Amino acid sequence: MNQAAKSLHLSKYGHVVYTGHYGSAHRIEGSPPTVIKVVLGDNATYASLLAALPEDGYQPDGADEWLLKYGKSSIDLRVLELKSGGTYNDIDGKSHAAKAPGAYLSMNSSG
């Protein structure tokens, strides 16, 4: 999961202000390993990130959902737009205010 998150090169779109992990590889038994990233930048951050996902092999898989298949496994990616002043929750449920526009990403692997 960490390698998949790194492959998105989020620093091209802004500053990664939050990274969180949960799932069976970390804390919650029975949940798939999940990585959460929050990247903040400017008004183009979210749109630029979405435009690059197909170049990285991700295919749309519903509203805000993207899928990357490799062999019998896949990575499910959810990307939500963050507006400046909007909020996002960390893995402990604590709310944080976004100080700039950006994107909230949650990715997990299956298979």
Side-chain angles (χ1 to χ4, degrees):
M1 285 309 311
N2 286 325
Q3 187 58 39
K6 286 178 185 177
S7 72
L8 293 174
H9 303 289
L10 296 176
S11 62
K12 293 190 303 187
Y13 309 103
H15 181 67
V16 177
V17 297
Y18 177 76
T19 300
H21 298 87
Y22 67 89
S24 58
H26 291 279
R27 294 198 302 176
I28 304 170
E29 286 298 319
S31 295
T34 300
V35 174
I36 295 172
K37 297 266 187 189
V38 175
V39 59
L40 301 179
D42 58 30
N43 289 328
T45 296
Y46 175 74
S48 297
L49 177 59
L50 287 185
L53 289 175
E55 296 170 14
D56 292 330
Y58 286 87
Q59 299 175 359
D61 193 38
D64 305 319
E65 305 285 333
W66 295 81
L67 182 66
L68 175 65
K69 293 182 181 180
Y70 56 98
K72 294 181 180 182
S73 299
S74 64
I75 295 194
D76 300 307
L77 173 65
R78 185 169 188 213
V79 183
L80 301 173
E81 183 175 17
L82 280 175
K83 304 253 186 216
S84 185
T87 60
Y88 62 91
N89 290 334
D90 63 24
I91 61 165
D92 295 319
K94 184 177 178 187
S95 182
H96 301 271
K99 296 181 180 176
Y104 174 97
L105 298 91
S106 173
M107 57 190 338
N108 62 60
S109 62
S110 59

